[in-house]
Every structure is written in C-alpha cells, then in structure tokens.
Amino acid sequence: MQYLTVLGATGSIGESTLDVVARHPDRFRIFALSGYSQLDKLARQCGQFKPSFVAVADEQSAATLAEPLRALSPTTEIVVGQEGLCDVASAPEVDMVMAAIVGAVGLRPTLAAVLAGKKVLLANKESLVMAGGLFMEAVRRADATLLPIDSEHNAIFQCLPANYGLGQRGGVRKVLLTGSGGPFRSTPLASLSTMTPDQACAHPNWQMGRKISVDSATMMNKGLELIEACWLFDLHPEEIDVVIHPQSVIHSMVEYVDGSILAQLGNPDMRTPIAHAMAWPERVTSGVASLDIIQTARLDFESPDLQRFPCLKLAMEAACRGGSAPAILNAANEVAVAGFLGGRLPFTGIAEVVARVLNRLEITEPDSLEAVQSCDQLARHSAEDVIEQLTGKG
Ligand code: NAD
Ligand code: MG
C-alpha cells in the first residue's frame, strides 16, 4: 500500500489525482489532503478518502472546516499554514506527495517533501522555475524521486532512454516541447487587448485552473515549461524547440542523434500522466478513454509567433539569462495574471508588466531559499508598482 499526500487537492490536478486514487483502493491510500478556499469540497473529499490529516490556510479556515469534518470524517485532524503543509508533505508515513498547489506558495511544502526523500509528483512547475538549482540539488542530496506530472514533461520522461541522466545523454539530440497555442492562437492581434478572463480561460483542449489557463493563453505556460524542462532533464534552452501543435494529441517528443523521434500520444486528460507517475515504473488504469486516431485524423505543427506571444519570448530570454531572472519572471507573471483575472489589467498588459519588471530589477545569483524568496517578493512589489503606473493610479 502506498500512502499519498495531495497538496492542492481541491484544484483541477488534485481532483484528477483523487479520481485515479479512487480507482485503485488496493494500491493507494490518502494520508493527507490540502485545500485553500473551497472548504466544502475539501470536507467532502475528506469524507470519501478519510485522510489522517487535512491542511488549510489558517485558524479561520480550520474553524469553518471543523463542523462538516466532524460529520464526514471525525478521525481527520486539521493542521494549518505553511508549517502544516510542510508537515503533511514530509511525515514518515507518506510514500508519495502530489505537489499540485498553484504558484510560488507551493515551493516550501514541495521542497519539504523533497528533503524528506519522498517520491514527489511535480505539477507545481512554478517551484522549479523559481528555485530550480536549489530544488534539483535537494533532490540529489535527499535521494528523492522526482516524477513530472506536467503532461509535456511526463511525455518527455516516457520518451527518454533508460540510460539518460547522470552525465549520460543516451543519444538524445533535442527535445520538442509541444503546446496547443491556447485559445488565442489565431485571434486577430488587434483584438487581443480586449479579451476577457473567461475567454482566456476557455482552453480548446484542456480543463485547468484559471492561473494556468491564462498562462496557456499568453503561452507563458510554455515558457515556464521550457525552464522546467531544462532543470528536470539537464538541458540547455537551445536544446529545446517549442512547437505549436493545436490538437494536443502529441504531448511532446524526443529526437535522437540517429534521426529517430519518439512521441507520447494520448487524449488530453491529466489522469494519464498522473497515473503514470503514481504507478511508475508499473502501469495502472487511469479512466482515460483510448485515443481514437482515426477520429483525430490529422496532426498539425507550426512554430510559435513571438510577436503574438511576447510572454514566451520573455521566458526564453529568462531561461538563457538564468540566475534570478526566472524567479522574477514567475513572480511578475503571477501578479500580472491576478491583475488580469481581477479586471485591473488588459490581457496584453500581462506581458507588459513582466517585461517592465525584468527591466527594472537587477538579476542576481540567489544561493539560498531565503534569497530566492526575497527576489520573489521584490518582483511582486515591482509588478504592483508597474500595474499602478500602467492603469494610471500611480
Ligand atoms: P487550481 O487552481 O485548479 O488548483 C490550485 C490548488 O492550489 C487548489 O487546491 C487551491 O486550494 C490550492 N491553493 C491556491 N492558493 C493557495 C495558497 N495560497 N496556499 C495553499 N494552497 C493554495 O490549479 P491546477 O490547474 O490544479 O494547477 C495546479 C498546479 O499544477 C499549477 O502549478 C499548474 O501549473 C500545474 N499544472 C496543472 C495542469 C492542469 O492541467 N490543470 C497541468 C500541468 C501543470
Ligand atoms: Mg503542461
């Protein structure tokens, strides 16, 4: 039996994870769940999976959750704050941790799981973007097992040779990182500034949380994934080609020196990479239907237009620059996306804010978690300033 902590259980990835867990009660059991806002949903999840612990943001959330929890799962104990998250991520009873909190707040608990040497299923790409060097060093030191949940990285992992890593390239020439191009792939450029949050979140192929949906519309998501792939697979940004593939059937590819290209295909449903990582190196059913390749009929590819997707360009530059640039990019993006979702910024303002923050701040070489977090904070303040300037309230 494998005991699992799901950080961010109430989100899109969290729910898909619990769906896979429910299909295999003989293999997986929930040790702890965490949630931030949807406390009713969290209580229902506790009722179904009877975890030993549930982690919430603060005492007020704990008080709200206490009553429904008494009725639905009286033996579940409530823990609070970042400390509670870190505790349930690193407890000795836990075998696997699904890191599916969105954004930079996911870094500490994910790192706690890594430092405890857990099998870590990484959905929270922001933690690698912010602190990739420290994070990967912690994985090596603690001998943790890091498995990618992001569908592209999970696909790359599946296509890499068994002897890849530890200085061994196994004949790999490059990686082809695919992305759909999001809902605005062919929207007239002049209309982009008028796109609403609901339009940006209406992804053609994937059902996801709102932050990553906006990142997909700007293609910042692909930029964050480029940085994520560099850390996970020890690649230089130049060894990764970003390819637009509107059908989202191929989830990414690996090219070898002999000219072979291996791809992983499947329906766009996150339960496939989740089940793959949970059962690895075995395989289990995920509930995902067979891909109908006859119905799919065709696969299209194009190269990304960096004028349409300036966020992708900014992320590519930050990947090459290294140091604190990716952490600044990530923090500015989180603030800008929240500004867009909250109606304070137009869609095209997101790239504007990120570019200005990157221009304003000095790029440093943060060598500790505290240094990374202070870059993150500085970039957040700077992004708030820029938003005030852009919206004329500065
Ligand atoms: P979501 O918005 O649906 O869920 C986010 C989860 O994080 C929720 O459980 C929420 O309660 C929790 N959370 C939010 N703010 C928090 C805070 N301040 N403190 C503690 N918990 C907090 O997001 P999602 O789509 O499930 O994405 C989760 C992560 O997985 C993101 O990093 C995203 O980039 C990554 N990811 C998602 C997908 C996808 O298909 N949804 C694919 C690849 C990667
Ligand atoms: Mg992805």
Side-chain angles (χ1 to χ4, degrees):
M1 184 63 68
Q2 296 262 293
Y3 282 85
L4 186 69
T5 284
V6 183
L7 303 173
T10 51
S12 164
I13 294 286
E15 285 200 280
S16 295
T17 304
L18 293 179
D19 183 280
V20 175
V21 168
R23 291 168 193 277
H24 302 283
D26 50 326
R27 278 184 98 104
F28 306 119
R29 204 160 287 169
I30 297 295
F31 173 75
L33 298 176
S34 98
Y36 184 69
S37 51
Q38 299 165 273
L39 299 176
D40 287 347
K41 188 197 275 184
L42 187 60
R44 285 197 301 278
Q45 292 177 333
C46 289
Q48 184 179 354
F49 293 96
K50 304 285 190 289
S52 302
F53 293 93
V54 60
V56 293
D58 49 30
E59 293 298 341
Q60 198 189 331
S61 304
T64 311
L65 185 65
E67 199 184 310
L69 201 59
R70 253 194 304 281
L72 293 166
S73 183
T75 56
T76 301
E77 198 176 313
I78 305 178
V79 296
V80 299
Q82 281 269 323
E83 208 184 325
L85 288 172
C86 292
D87 287 348
V88 297
S90 59
E93 297 92 327
V94 176
D95 301 294
M96 273 190 279
V97 176
M98 168 57 76
I101 289 175
V102 60
V105 288
L107 174 60
R108 262 182 191 278
T110 307
L111 206 50
V114 166
L115 291 169
K118 303 300 183 194
K119 175 171 167 180
V120 179
L121 315 181
L122 187 73
N124 176 251
K125 65 191 86 187
E126 294 92 344
S127 54
L128 264 189
V129 171
M130 276 177 86
L134 295 165
F135 194 99
M136 295 309 290
E137 178 58 30
V139 169
R140 280 186 287 273
R141 239 185 308 131
D143 199 22
T145 305
L146 185 62
L147 294 169
I149 293 299
D150 218 338
S151 55
E152 296 76 4
H153 305 73
N154 185 271
I156 294 163
F157 181 76
Q158 293 195 47
C159 296
L160 284 174
N163 63 347
Y164 190 83
L166 297 169
Q168 296 272 75
R169 304 288 296 193
V172 170
R173 179 185 282 155
K174 67 176 178 183
V175 160
L176 301 156
L177 182 68
T178 54
S180 67
F184 304 149
R185 185 174 56 91
S186 45
T187 304
L189 284 181
S191 313
L192 284 180
S193 64
T194 63
M195 293 296 128
T196 66
D198 284 345
Q199 287 172 308
C201 290
H203 196 282
N205 309 331
W206 297 96
Q207 283 290 325
M208 307 181 287
R210 281 172 86 77
K211 190 265 178 180
I212 184 176
S213 295
V214 175
D215 286 348
S216 300
T218 59
M219 279 193 85
M220 177 60 92
N221 184 48
K222 215 46 57 185
L224 300 177
E225 290 184 353
L226 174 86
I227 299 168
E228 181 187 13
C230 289
W231 288 116
L232 281 174
F233 307 118
D234 194 21
L235 295 167
H236 193 267
E238 258 104 67
E239 297 172 297
I240 302 174
D241 287 352
V242 173
V243 179
I244 291 192
H245 164 46
Q247 292 90 355
S248 298
V249 163
I250 290 180
H251 300 309
S252 278
M253 299 173 255
V254 173
E255 182 182 323
Y256 287 78
V257 288
D258 60 8
S260 300
I261 295 182
L262 300 194
Q264 187 259 359
L265 287 73
N267 279 319
D269 186 323
M270 289 306 292
R271 291 176 301 174
T272 294
I274 290 168
H276 170 266
M278 281 175 61
W280 183 84
E282 294 171 27
R283 296 266 181 180
V284 295
T285 56
S286 63
V288 177
S290 293
L291 171 67
D292 185 339
I293 49 171
I294 304 298
Q295 188 69 36
T296 303
R298 55 182 279 182
L299 301 174
D300 293 306
F301 305 98
E302 57 192 67
S303 60
D305 171 358
L306 297 181
Q307 198 194 335
R308 174 179 294 278
F309 299 115
C311 283
L312 175 59
K313 183 161 185 271
L314 291 165
M316 287 170 157
E317 288 163 0
C320 292
R321 177 61 186 82
S324 60
I328 294 171
L329 171 98
N330 179 65
N333 180 59
E334 284 188 28
V335 172
V337 169
F340 168 65
L341 286 172
R344 292 166 67 208
L345 262 189
F347 179 74
T348 43
I350 298 171
E352 185 76 35
V353 170
V354 176
R356 290 197 191 198
V357 172
L358 278 162
N359 269 332
R360 275 188 179 193
L361 299 183
E362 188 195 344
I363 308 300
T364 57
E365 299 293 329
D367 57 0
S368 67
L369 188 59
E370 290 65 37
V372 169
Q373 283 179 323
S374 89
C375 292
D376 173 82
Q377 286 305 314
L378 210 61
R380 281 170 200 274
H381 291 310
S382 176
E384 292 292 355
D385 268 6
V386 171
I387 292 178
E388 282 186 14
Q389 274 175 9
L390 287 176
T391 55
K393 290 187 210 110

